[in-house]
Amino acid sequence: MELTFLGTGTSHGIPVIACDCVNCNSLTPENNRLRSSVLIKNRETSILIDTTPEFRIQALREKINNIDAVLYTHTHADHLHGIDDLRPFSMNKSIPLYGLKEQLQEIEDRFPYIFNSTIQKGGGKPNLYTTPINKTVVIGKFTITPIPVKHGLIDILGYRINNIAYITDCSKIPDESYDLLKNLDILVIGALRFREHSTHFTIEQAIDEIEKISPKKAYFTHLCHDVDHFELIEYLNKKGLEREFIKKIKPAHDGLCLKTD
Ligand SMILES: [Zn+2]
Ligand SMILES: [Zn+2]
Ligand SMILES: [Zn+2]
């Protein structure tokens, strides 16, 4: 199976509109981050996690030609508002959207034209249906388990797909969820920046979670413009000299593709 990072930036993306900071002016491709999302696929099946406002750009860049299901982490705009660009993928089929029941209801309320069949089709609308997920489901050869996590005060989902887990926009992992995260090959975890934040793990907090979960490899996503990609690698390398497990952590970047069995 293959995991491709479609985007690895926080809600603003990097560069941030109208920001003149060093990282927003960086010409390094790794410091240019679209909103966070991943595509997980094997030969038969393609699963998308979240539809960012840049989903069209991401789909064209990665030459995505099929989506079989979308897993929603939550309904914040940076994870949802590209939903209309599922249109080309749902011309000949209806695509299931998985997520928490209340959040799927919010998607239906926010985009009534998609789900209300009495609203005219006009030039076309995405053909989608919502399906609440509260336990493991199997799609093709993928076994998908929702991982309940906290994003500040709200309950959202991370997902485990076979031996990969994707947890973004998280500020606390409840005790019960750690059981669902054993024996991972890859953990992708949101790590916003070094400074504290009320709804996201900092880089240090994410490192602590990685130590606790102990995956074979870990990648940071949902980074903000405070963080330079290569400075972060250097920081992790230095820390890795004292704490061995930190050597397996890297910041992800847009377009990074990981392959695993
Ligand atoms: Zn977000
Ligand atoms: Zn900036
Ligand atoms: Zn969020």
Side-chain angles (χ1 to χ4, degrees):
M1 70 194 272
E2 214 176 88
L3 177 150
T4 305
F5 288 91
L6 303 181
T8 56
T10 189
S11 59
H12 284 283
I14 308 174
V16 176
I17 293 171
C19 182
D20 202 27
C21 81
V22 178
N23 291 327
C24 287
N25 279 304
S26 170
L27 297 174
T28 310
E30 285 82 353
N31 281 332
N32 207 306
R33 300 181 189 274
L34 301 181
R35 270 57 82 84
S36 292
S37 168
V38 290
L39 181 76
I40 291 170
K41 65 173 188 176
N42 60 18
R43 265 190 213 111
E44 300 86 34
T45 312
S46 298
I47 309 269
L48 176 67
I49 304 187
D50 293 334
T51 51
T52 79
E54 286 122 352
F55 175 57
R56 176 178 172 275
I57 293 163
Q58 295 167 330
L60 290 170
R61 189 191 72 210
E62 299 300 333
K63 299 185 170 43
I64 300 174
N65 56 19
N66 175 50
I67 302 280
D68 294 297
V70 183
L71 312 178
Y72 278 107
T73 58
H74 64 305
T75 55
H76 282 159
D78 53 324
H79 297 262
L80 171 61
H81 284 193
I83 190 169
D84 192 71
D85 287 316
L86 291 171
R87 270 190 291 164
F89 302 106
S90 62
M91 302 262 256
N92 303 312
K93 63 176 178 184
S94 190
I95 299 177
L97 312 179
Y98 291 88
L100 285 173
K101 192 164 176 268
E102 315 74 59
Q103 304 224 348
L104 293 174
Q105 186 59 54
E106 204 181 317
I107 295 176
E108 293 193 22
D109 294 344
R110 207 179 299 168
F111 298 93
Y113 75 96
I114 296 177
F115 301 96
N116 183 342
S117 57
T118 65
I119 296 177
Q120 71 163 4
K121 257 188 159 178
K125 51 187 187 178
N127 183 2
L128 312 171
Y129 65 98
T130 57
T131 172
I133 185 167
N134 52 23
K135 57 177 183 354
T136 298
V137 297
V138 175
I139 302 176
K141 289 185 179 134
F142 294 131
T143 302
I144 297 164
T145 305
I147 315 286
V149 299
K150 283 285 194 190
H151 181 17
L153 297 174
I154 64 170
D155 293 309
I156 70 159
L157 292 180
Y159 290 95
R160 178 178 185 144
I161 298 118
N162 296 353
N163 283 342
I164 293 179
Y166 182 81
I167 297 175
T168 185
D169 293 52
C170 177
S171 52
K172 184 174 171 50
I173 301 176
D175 287 342
E176 315 81 74
S177 292
Y178 288 102
D179 284 345
L180 308 171
L181 295 168
K182 287 179 178 158
N183 303 316
L184 289 174
D185 289 330
I186 295 170
L187 170 65
V188 179
I189 188 163
L192 187 71
R193 62 187 189 193
F194 288 98
R195 279 182 299 129
E196 292 226 344
H197 193 279
S198 58
T199 60
H200 293 271
F201 284 142
T202 62
I203 284 161
E204 290 304 330
Q205 288 166 338
I207 289 173
D208 290 344
E209 295 298 332
I210 292 163
E211 182 171 29
K212 196 163 167 187
I213 295 165
S214 193
K216 286 196 187 120
K217 284 182 183 165
Y219 292 85
F220 290 149
T221 191
H222 214 284
L223 292 150
C224 89
H225 66 153
D226 288 5
V227 183
D228 171 83
H229 184 79
F230 290 100
E231 281 176 19
L232 179 54
I233 290 176
E234 216 169 283
Y235 177 83
L236 293 167
N237 284 344
K238 257 187 214 151
K239 279 185 90 95
L241 297 175
E242 290 151 34
R243 296 167 82 193
E244 184 70 21
F245 81 95
I246 294 177
K247 287 183 181 155
K248 65 188 177 185
I249 308 173
K250 289 195 174 77
H253 59 83
D254 291 20
L256 175 66
C257 179
L258 309 172
K259 291 184 171 66
T260 161
D261 296 336

